[in-house]
Amino acid sequence: MTDFTQLGVKAIRDGVAGGDFTAREVAEAFNAAVAEAAELNAFIVTTPDHALAAADATDAKRAKGEPLGKMGGVPIGMKDLFATKGVQTTAASHILEGFDPEYESTVSQNLWDAGAGMLGKLNLDQFAMGSSNETSYFGNVNSPWKKEGTNAAMSPGGSSGGSSSAVAARIAPAATGTDTGGSIRQPAAFTGICGIKPTYGRCSRWGVVAFASSLDQAGPMARSIEDCAIMLEAMAGFDPKDSTSLDMPVPEWEAGLNADLKGKKVGIPREYMMDGTDEAILKSWEQGKEWLRDAGAEIVDISLPHTKYALPAYYIVAPAEASSNLARYDGVRYGLRDLPDGAGLQDMYAATRAAGFGDEVKRRILIGTYVLSAGFYDAYYNQAQKVRALVARDFENAWAECDVILAPTTPTPSFPLGSLNEDPLTMYLNDVFAVPASLAGLPAMSVPAMMTDDGLPLGLQLVGKPFDEQGVLNAGLAIQQRANFTAQPEKWW
Ligand code: GLN
């Protein structure tokens, strides 16, 4: 009998379309796997009925000979940052607990229209702020991976840690993620899966709980390049409800996949060679160059001179936008309300926000408010915006010399939960390689490369020109074919 949970997006879609099995069988298998995996804490709520209803709709269409859609019969996990009509949407915060949106986000609606169903809402770092999935109000997410010889609970990365954990553990064939400064790529790298952040504007932000609006982008997380291409096609598209949405047709990324890189130049940014980068990561980067050379590409050295300023600039721009976006949670409009006896309106705002936001979120609001305050605006926020422009210009210059950039996704492999949260700066360093592409709005992905000697996955990052998701996916495919990454976590949950 087929173990449906081993199948990815393409295998499920094609198997259902070809009549090898029904969408209902697949949904039932994943619903059962989700129910068994409570120890991972990957889901905040599960929605087995949603997955079954979508599956039945697909099976009914097939019986009538109607087209099944790009994601027909595929049940997925939905990061709990996407508003889902009638299904609690919390951004992993207490302040939004009990918030059942009246509307569906554009990206989730696109996925349902393409025939996908929902297994549940996935845990994440609170308001997508974090790199380890330890800031959720609903508890840490556990990675399905263990470091060899230890039983320590490992981080699945963040903020899309529920997504990465679920896909790596094979309790979901794919999941949505969002990436503001690495939150798709870093968790994908930590768990041995693929994840792509498309060009800023490809996926509508409408109905996605806002963190830093000029950076936030949705994207797919799945176990192969093909699955990411399929799911991104279903998610992307112009949306008049998002003023920064790209008014461009969605390319046929799946059909366009081609791992022959003859004539392509791959840039290796010398500034990404940083102190403190793990030996194993450097080794995987070297190996990545070999693989791409083998696929026909020419490897060229490039310079992105402002790289070291990207992370500090990000930690000004992102909190600034967050402090403004999070002003809307006031105890009046959504979720939690804390109204002390005899309190006035201002007291209610203060009490609600004090009780409703976690420490990391408060830290970001404080930093953001500070850098935007009249006396410091020029010194911090304006300066960071200028740095952002310089980081973007570095990439523009680099495209004169190469077609795609290869770099590590993260400076280290996954770490034990609890090991970094005393030190926010070390935690922030997780995104040092991810943030430059975010500031520049470029498509970027992580693809699994190899395992460390102690049994943890490592990812490689590909960054592309604006709108060139295809180039990123194709280079990713070349790596996938050569890395032959088949490792799976041993089931302990
Ligand atoms: N880890 C980064 C942060 O905490 C990025 C988060 C994200 O991309 N959502 O801000």
Side-chain angles (χ1 to χ4, degrees):
M1 205 187 101
T2 316
D3 176 2
F4 295 114
T5 61
Q6 286 292 327
L7 304 180
V9 172
K10 183 171 160 41
I12 295 171
R13 180 199 64 186
D14 294 350
V16 169
D20 302 339
F21 41 79
T22 63
R24 178 165 260 268
E25 287 177 283
V26 175
E28 281 173 349
F30 279 103
N31 279 341
V34 168
E36 256 181 45
E39 273 183 272
L40 295 174
N41 201 27
F43 285 90
I44 295 175
V45 293
T46 58
T47 54
D49 292 342
H50 190 293
L52 290 177
D56 288 347
T58 294
D59 289 335
K61 277 190 194 162
R62 185 169 184 281
K64 285 191 263 170
E66 291 171 10
L68 304 187
K70 198 84 213 166
M71 297 279 293
V74 183
I76 57 163
M78 184 62 60
K79 185 176 182 180
D80 197 22
L81 204 61
F82 293 83
T84 41
K85 191 171 178 191
V87 179
Q88 180 183 262
T89 299
T90 64
S93 72
H94 184 35
I95 209 159
L96 279 174
E97 202 174 5
F99 170 55
D100 296 338
E102 295 292 326
Y103 48 86
E104 189 74 32
S105 80
T106 299
V107 161
S108 53
Q109 188 61 53
N110 287 347
L111 286 163
W112 314 148
D113 291 347
M118 178 164 66
L119 296 163
K121 301 296 292 286
L122 291 158
N123 208 342
L124 65 149
D125 275 304
Q126 194 167 144
F127 284 102
M129 297 170 187
S131 304
S132 61
N133 225 121
E134 293 170 287
T135 71
S136 166
Y137 177 72
F138 301 95
N140 300 341
V141 176
N142 288 307
S143 170
W145 296 94
K146 299 272 189 191
K147 193 167 167 169
E148 229 167 80
T150 81
N151 198 29
M154 302 298 287
S155 170
S159 65
S160 310
S163 308
S164 64
S165 177
V167 174
R170 287 158 173 77
I171 62 173
T176 54
T178 63
D179 192 311
T180 302
S183 276
I184 287 176
R185 291 161 284 160
Q186 184 256 17
F190 274 19
T191 55
I193 66 168
C194 298
I196 179 163
K197 173 193 96 69
T199 310
Y200 181 79
R202 270 287 185 211
C203 290
S204 170
R205 289 181 297 107
W206 196 81
V208 185
V209 176
F211 165 10
S213 306
S214 75
L215 296 156
D216 298 343
Q217 247 317 276
M221 299 171 75
R223 288 191 302 266
S224 73
I225 298 289
E226 292 85 346
D227 288 2
C228 282
I230 293 168
M231 189 163 158
L232 184 58
E233 265 183 59
M235 293 168 72
F238 173 62
D239 180 8
K241 288 190 284 200
D242 171 359
S243 60
T244 59
S245 173
L246 282 174
D247 192 357
M248 292 170 89
V250 178
E252 294 189 351
W253 290 304
E254 182 189 8
L257 285 174
N258 176 3
D260 180 359
L261 303 185
K262 237 174 260 116
K264 298 284 178 204
K265 287 186 180 166
V266 175
I268 307 295
R270 72 176 68 103
E271 292 79 6
Y272 281 47
M273 197 59 108
M274 283 181 195
D275 287 348
T277 303
D278 202 276
E279 274 305 311
I281 302 269
L282 295 175
K283 198 171 115 196
S284 72
W285 197 9
E286 280 308 312
Q287 181 64 70
K289 292 182 208 171
E290 277 313 307
W291 285 330
L292 294 179
R293 209 176 272 131
D294 185 59
E298 183 189 340
I299 307 293
V300 297
D301 280 325
I302 59 160
S303 174
L304 299 170
H306 297 90
T307 298
K308 72 173 175 202
Y309 305 111
L311 197 68
Y314 170 83
Y315 275 101
I316 290 174
V317 172
E321 295 187 23
S323 70
S324 154
N325 272 325
L326 271 57
R328 73 190 68 173
Y329 304 107
D330 54 7
V332 177
R333 283 171 288 189
Y334 311 88
L336 184 76
R337 173 174 305 161
D338 204 335
L339 186 57
D341 268 352
L345 189 62
Q346 292 293 340
D347 303 320
M348 183 190 78
Y349 294 157
T352 303
R353 289 168 68 83
F357 290 135
D359 288 346
E360 183 61 28
V361 176
K362 286 178 186 160
R363 184 180 356 251
R364 306 282 177 117
I365 294 174
L366 289 173
I367 295 172
T369 311
Y370 180 79
V371 301
L372 289 174
S373 59
F376 298 104
Y377 186 93
D378 275 335
Y380 291 103
Y381 184 70
N382 254 347
Q383 195 70 6
Q385 291 287 45
K386 289 180 195 160
V387 171
R388 181 176 187 176
L390 292 173
V391 169
R393 196 172 308 154
D394 282 354
F395 283 106
E396 280 160 31
N397 293 337
W399 302 134
E401 291 163 56
C402 66
D403 302 287
V404 66
I405 291 170
L406 175 74
T409 309
T410 58
T412 68
S414 168
F415 45 83
L417 289 169
S419 63
L420 292 188
N421 41 11
E422 290 305 303
D423 178 3
L425 287 185
T426 313
M427 187 68 90
Y428 293 173
L429 271 176
N430 263 285
D431 298 311
V432 67
F433 299 135
V435 149
S438 302
L439 290 174
L442 300 173
M445 92 174 294
S446 183
V447 53
M450 53 173 65
M451 300 291 287
T452 62
D453 292 341
D454 44 17
L456 294 174
L458 295 176
L460 281 169
Q461 182 179 207
L462 296 153
V463 181
K465 299 177 185 176
F467 322 120
D468 189 23
E469 287 80 4
Q470 192 75 64
V472 170
L473 290 162
N474 287 351
L477 187 63
I479 291 180
Q480 176 177 288
Q481 288 175 353
R482 287 161 182 83
N484 194 20
F485 187 94
T486 51
Q488 287 193 33
E490 225 167 278
K491 188 165 184 285
W492 53 263
W493 53 91

